[in-house]
Amino acid sequence: MTVFDLVVRSRRVVLPDGERAAAVGVTGGRIAAVGGYGERMAARVEHDLGGLVLLPGLVDAHVHVNEPGRTEWEGFDSATRAAGAGGVTTIVDMPLNSVPPTVTVAALDAKRAAARGRCHVDTALWGGAVPAHLPELPELLAAGVPGAKCFLLDSGVPEFPPLDDDGLRTALRAAERAGAVILVHAEDAGLIGDCSGPGFAGFLASRPGAAEARAVERVIAACAATGGRAHIVHLSSAEALPALARARAAGVPVTAETCPHYLYFSAEEVPDGATPFKCCPPIRSAADRDALWAALADGTIDQVVSDHSPCTPELKRLDTGDFGAAWGGIAGVQLALPVVWTAARERGLPLSRLAAWMAAAPARLAGLAAKGAIRVGADADLVAFDPDAEFTVDPARLHHRHPVTPYAGRRLAGLVRTTWLRGAVVDGRTPRGRLIEEVRRR
């Protein structure tokens, strides 16, 4: 009889074809068997979770680690510790706000050097596309990144300037030749206004939903013209959804994500001066939130990622509450799963949908063939999750570098009891994460 390194049993295992009672056998860090809950499976270590849910490890394909260069904002050690505590077993790091940004092979090498030996979960890296280094983009894509991110307006940091429409098409052509994807921060600069002071309504008005809608239409046109594949990051506006749905139905190679904060909060509940809520694009109305949920349900949006984007407390302007001056970003990698589950269960949605949105789809986007699902041959990235347990968010118990969060004091549903990375428990002390330097291209 085969003796597995690890067997985990649960009456509620979320598999690619749905939820059922099962036992998962692990050998050499990979899933070697998926059998019945009561099936005899010899193991060196065995856990019976009973009624706890066994989920695939989440894949968060939108995390700003900021190391090297702005490690005082965040770093690989703290960001990946937070990820593991939240049931995320793989992150894909964004090319900004590190210094240098990951826009050349040399910068990619520097980022890899900073990450090695510091990661508590497996980590891949996106590249970046900026005007001055577009000629080098093919070389960067060939160096092992799954794709590159660009902005269509000011990114907020001077070392990562935006692309115009010609630059976007150049990047998409390079991605098409490489079988890669271009990630796009899609807001149209021509529709962005000025903002200052503590009023959230003024900040929201300065970045209207129409700015997202116009930018998404530009991306769709560029994809149709080049055949290149684009992915819209952190979509928040209902106004952008009709064009996106039409494009996807027509076979234009464009996908989109949204984020937990857009699915949980609404603009109507954000207090003036509460800059921990600032992100770009902004949290929008309850009607926008409902439209995002509907777009997830019908497949117009196919994934949910954190857009974990921390900074120092000083940059959040907590003293003045000035939305215009504060850094725009929410640090949420540790809380993404319970935040989304809290909102999803209120809508009667099962955990299998969350596994599709938060594990399988991000893994597919980033070319991580061994991630995102409980199936034979995949990495044994597993999460024991208690969907009925509730907790109140205490910022002091979060693992990202600075305890600033708009979720402080919120009552959330769902506790991560154990996270396994390739069959080993993620304990937050020993960094067992691997740096993923090669991905599978389409």
Side-chain angles (χ1 to χ4, degrees), residues 130-142:
V130 299
H133 294 288
L134 278 178
E136 299 163 82
L137 182 57
E139 182 184 7
L140 180 61
L141 294 174

Side-chain angles (χ1 to χ4, degrees), residues 33-94:
V34 178
Y37 174 71
E39 183 176 331
R40 185 182 177 193
M41 298 171 70
R44 295 179 176 87
V45 177
E46 181 169 341
H47 298 280
D48 190 334
L49 303 182
L52 294 183
V53 178
L54 187 65
L55 289 170
L58 303 189
V59 177
D60 193 336
H62 194 146
V63 176
H64 293 268
V65 175
N66 306 330
E67 185 178 9
R70 290 193 174 97
T71 310
E72 71 275 13
W73 292 19
E74 186 64 288
F76 283 103
D77 177 72
S78 51
T80 59
R81 187 185 302 112
V88 176
T89 51
T90 305
I91 67 165
V92 192
D93 171 65
M94 284 292 170

Side-chain angles (χ1 to χ4, degrees), residues 159-179:
E159 66 274 4
F160 205 95
L163 298 181
D164 60 16
D165 284 353
D166 286 343
L168 175 61
R169 294 184 184 210
T170 297
L172 285 166
R173 290 187 188 99
E176 197 280 329
R177 289 190 293 270

